Amino acid sequence: MVTDAIGQQVDFVLLVGDLFDRETQSVQAQVFLNEQLQRLIDAKIAVLVSFGNHDYITDDQQLSLPEGVRVFGSDVTTEMLTTHDHTRVAISGFSYADRWLEEDVVPQFPSRGTADFQIGMLHGAVKQGAVNHYAPFAVSELAATHYDYWALGHIHKQCAIRTATDHLRGHASGTS
């Protein structure tokens, strides 16, 4: 993925949680991640990270990432980027502070602003029944934000969650 991003000269890469597949990471895995992130930074590609349930933020254990990697904290915040073609992009996200996050955080995301594109980063799962440990959300909530794109993490199977992705693709190709 990193080699492709560099080769295609993308403006930014979004990593939406669970950079590792378990809570404890080997030194080898951490070194590899840092090397790959540094390659992106060296190529002048912005990297935005939100931590999920496997790599959540704790006060006593903070994953050390290369300088220049933007990491979202436990509150929903927005980072502004300007791409090489001067497109203004607002990217909103958060990181898990604990292994489980049983509340729906979508209402905490800001309203769509005046940026050319608004993107949400959400590590969560579609609400199902009474037990929802991973930032449960409804697809209708995502659509109601009018964001141009939702980068979703934690979802372990391919499914038909669609937001305004087609609009974003249409804009990029010059159609609306």
Side-chain angles (χ1 to χ4, degrees), residues 1-54:
M1 177 194 87
V2 170
T3 299
D4 287 345
I6 292 169
Q8 294 177 26
Q9 299 176 333
V10 302
D11 290 298
F12 55 88
V13 170
L14 307 177
L15 300 173
V16 192
D18 290 356
L19 302 176
F20 303 97
D21 62 354
R22 61 183 58 108
E23 288 180 45
T24 341
Q25 306 90 29
S26 70
V27 172
Q28 182 181 9
Q30 290 181 32
V31 167
F32 178 78
L33 174 66
N34 280 345
E35 289 171 350
Q36 300 311 305
L37 295 176
Q38 189 63 55
R39 289 178 60 207
L40 292 167
I41 296 299
D42 291 345
K44 308 265 188 278
I45 295 173
V47 179
L48 290 89
V49 172
S50 64
F51 292 118
N53 59 296
H54 287 292

Side-chain angles (χ1 to χ4, degrees), residues 9 11-12 81-89 116-117 171-172:
Q9 299 176 333
D11 290 298
F12 55 88
L81 297 174
T82 301
T83 64
H84 293 98
D85 69 354
H86 305 290
T87 301
R88 294 175 306 118
V89 182
D116 298 313
F117 289 102
H171 178 79

Side-chain angles (χ1 to χ4, degrees), residues 3 13 22 33 41 67 78 102 123 127 138 141 163 168:
T3 299
V13 170
R22 61 183 58 108
L33 174 66
I41 296 299
E67 187 176 329
T78 301
E102 296 181 356
H123 186 88
K127 291 178 187 174
E141 287 180 290
T163 58
L168 182 60

